[in-house]
Amino acid sequence: MAKYTIAPSLLAADFARLGEEASKVLQAGADVLHLDVMDNHYVPNLTVGPLVCAALRKYGIKAPIDVHLMTRPVDHLILEFAKAGASYITFHPEASDHVDRSLELIRQQGCKAGLAINPATSLQHLEHVWDKIDIVLMMSVNPGFGGQQFISSSLEKIAKARQLINESGKNIMLAIDGGIKADNIFDAARAGADMFIAGSAIFSQPDYATVIADMRAQLAKSK
Ligand code: DX5
Ligand code: ZN
């Protein structure tokens, strides 16, 4: 039976009450917190740095924190986020001059390592690093903003990535990020995703537990 991970993206949370929002969404049934780091360079938006990750830990958040680096370069921030309590660190291959080295750096810090694949990025980036990745993060929107429309061709890419992961024989999570909600999560799971990152679909609703329960009900159908 597949094990599914729901990872709310804090990008859509109320930043003025971030600790409270993070614990509320975990109490509502989330497994992991997704933290979108944007640098106004690799993507045209600016969000948070390692200080905010450390502040969440200080606040008492114990759940895994999944740091999604949409920054260029990545290596220095890998070190800083690992120190700040990140559990998983994912970056975009276009943003590192030495992808293999950056992946190794993440694992050396004791974190799980991920590669994020944009809608127009080839899955070939994964080809020589299967033994160095723990997560493939498939972008189903172009990175930079929350609340965008799900790009449906990403389902085909998810299916292809699932096939490649299965062929690799490795224990690698397949995450989908962007435009995920209760009414498309089933399709994403059926295509092979097992980790679902959702920002606006969760935080725009008054009751996070209801949305997460709806999502889990949809996921249960795909087993
Ligand atoms: C986009 C981010 C996503 C985004 C998800 O650059 O990587 O994590 O915040 O937000 P929604 O679910 O609103 O598309
Ligand atoms: Zn993200």
Side-chain angles (χ1 to χ4, degrees), residues 40-96:
N40 188 38
H41 181 67
Y42 178 66
V43 292
N45 201 354
L46 186 62
T47 58
V48 298
L51 272 178
V52 172
C53 185
L56 288 168
R57 288 296 185 217
K58 196 167 169 217
Y59 183 80
I61 298 296
K62 300 274 187 286
I65 298 180
D66 171 32
V67 170
H68 178 188
L69 291 181
M70 286 161 274
T71 69
R72 184 192 287 133
V74 298
D75 290 1
H76 178 66
L77 284 175
I78 288 170
L79 298 174
E80 292 301 313
F81 272 101
K83 270 193 259 164
S87 314
Y88 317 154
I89 302 179
T90 295
F91 65 93
H92 291 253
E94 300 89 343
S96 171

Side-chain angles (χ1 to χ4, degrees), residues 1-7 29-32 64 88 112 134 162 171-176 185 188-190 192-196 215-216 219-220 222-223:
M1 200 159 78
K3 172 164 179 349
Y4 292 124
T5 298
I6 294 189
D31 304 296
V32 165
Y88 317 154
K112 287 190 191 297
D134 303 291
R162 167 52 62 199
N171 184 18
I172 294 171
M173 289 186 277
L174 180 53
I176 187 151
I185 202 168
R190 200 174 40 182
D194 53 14
M195 177 167 169
F196 306 89
M215 288 178 165
R216 293 220 191 267
L219 291 174
S222 71
K223 276 176 188 162

Side-chain angles (χ1 to χ4, degrees), residues 134-182:
D134 303 291
I135 302 161
V136 173
L137 186 154
M138 200 63 73
M139 291 302 299
S140 38
V141 297
N142 287 293
F145 301 94
Q148 302 179 80
Q149 175 95 29
F150 182 82
I151 297 174
S152 54
S153 59
S154 50
L155 288 175
E156 251 171 68
K157 270 178 99 181
I158 279 280
K160 182 70 191 152
R162 167 52 62 199
Q163 188 192 333
L164 294 172
I165 288 173
N166 290 348
E167 282 167 15
S168 80
K170 311 266 182 216
N171 184 18
I172 294 171
M173 289 186 277
L174 180 53
I176 187 151
D177 186 7
I180 288 291
K181 22 179 145 6

